[in-house]
Amino acid sequence: IGAWIEVEDGRSVQSREVVVGGGHAGGVAGPQHFGLGKVTRVRMRIRWPHEPWSDWRDVAVDQVLSVKK
């Protein structure tokens, strides 16, 4: 929670902050979805709270990734 994800598709960069959502006295950091159209690969990087950005990594699209610090 508090991390930022950036995805670059060759034309633009999409950014998301991982936050907690949910109802009263509860919450879940849900999955992050990036609408990428017809691209097949992107570059992705993460900025964990209080740390610099990670290096860009090439990633195939149409998959679920689980990323841990």
Side-chain angles (χ1 to χ4, degrees), residues 15-68:
S15 300
R16 303 271 190 286
E17 182 179 13
V18 180
V19 296
V20 173
H24 173 72
V28 173
Q32 304 298 308
H33 178 267
F34 294 87
L36 299 170
K38 296 181 179 184
V39 299
T40 58
R41 297 195 70 77
V42 296
R43 294 188 325 144
M44 179 183 82
R45 68 180 183 166
I46 298 174
R47 186 176 149 297
W48 300 103
H50 312 292
E51 294 191 20
W53 284 98
S54 69
D55 292 333
W56 287 102
R57 295 183 182 226
D58 290 326
V59 178
V61 301
D62 293 330
Q63 64 176 318
V64 176
L65 294 174
S66 178
V67 180
K68 296 181 182 181

